[in-house]
Amino acid sequence: GICADRDGKFAYIANERYDSVSVYTIDSSTGALGTSTALSTPFAADDGPTAITLSPDGKFAYTANYNSGSISAYTIDPSTGALSAVISSPSKAGTQPRSVVTIRAR
């Protein structure tokens, strides 16, 4: 799974085989993915992250972890794109979740 932040500065990739999330910078003129010295990527995830999404406000990221039946939650550093695991994460999600979606409440 892959997604980008709402400002188009960072791309987040769920690495199912490596139980991690990679973060890349996005070149605004070419769309090319790059790395930043501010990022210590990849970031640890639970077993088998297959999908990733960001909260509508861009403050949080969530992965669906297929093998462990859980959802991992992260806070996002707005200036670097770096992820930090939320203390209560991961949370149980049932058997083999394949996707995760966030919606904006009205």
Side-chain angles (χ1 to χ4, degrees), residues 23-78:
V23 182
Y24 295 91
T25 57
I26 301 173
D27 184 304
S28 62
S29 60
T30 67
L33 299 180
T35 57
S36 166
T37 56
L39 291 170
S40 177
T41 188
F43 297 91
D46 211 9
D47 193 8
T50 57
I52 188 165
T53 191
L54 305 183
S55 62
D57 61 7
K59 294 180 180 181
F60 302 98
Y62 302 93
T63 61
N65 306 305
Y66 183 80
N67 295 332
S68 60
S70 66
I71 302 293
S72 292
Y74 306 86
T75 58
I76 300 172
D77 182 305

Side-chain angles (χ1 to χ4, degrees), residues 2 6 21 26 39 51 69 95:
I2 184 171
R6 64 183 179 176
V21 175
I26 301 173
L39 291 170
T95 305

Side-chain angles (χ1 to χ4, degrees), residues 2-25:
I2 184 171
C3 67
D5 71 327
R6 64 183 179 176
D7 297 328
K9 294 178 5 182
F10 302 103
Y12 297 85
I13 294 115
N15 303 309
E16 182 176 8
R17 295 186 88 184
Y18 299 102
D19 302 335
S20 64
V21 175
S22 294
V23 182
Y24 295 91
T25 57

